[in-house]
Amino acid sequence: MKPIFKNHSLQNVFVLIVGYFGLMFARQAFDYWNEEEWFSTALHAGLAYSLFGSLLGFPPFNKLIK
């Protein structure tokens, strides 16, 4: 996967920010799971997967970002 930014420090900051938001959505999904709010769980888990998928190359992001 090619870097988004040419400046490596800017790329690192971008990855940290997106990763932080992914962790935040994953944590909220687990909180909603414990409260048995299934729609909110699915929504937040999907957002976390899309953020982590774009960073880590999960399917289908590995084919889209090439």
Side-chain angles (χ1 to χ4, degrees), residues 41-61:
T41 299
L43 179 67
H44 284 85
L47 287 171
Y49 184 82
S50 67
L51 289 174
F52 282 129
S54 64
L55 289 179
L56 300 175
F58 293 157
F61 300 106

Side-chain angles (χ1 to χ4, degrees), residues 7-37:
N7 186 349
H8 290 289
S9 62
L10 189 58
Q11 178 76 21
N12 292 339
V13 169
F14 174 75
V15 168
L16 287 174
I17 290 171
V18 171
Y20 177 74
F21 280 116
L23 284 174
M24 195 169 61
F25 282 123
R27 185 173 159 225
Q28 286 178 347
F30 282 118
D31 289 341
Y32 285 128
W33 180 274
N34 290 333
E35 296 173 7
E36 297 182 356
E37 294 182 17

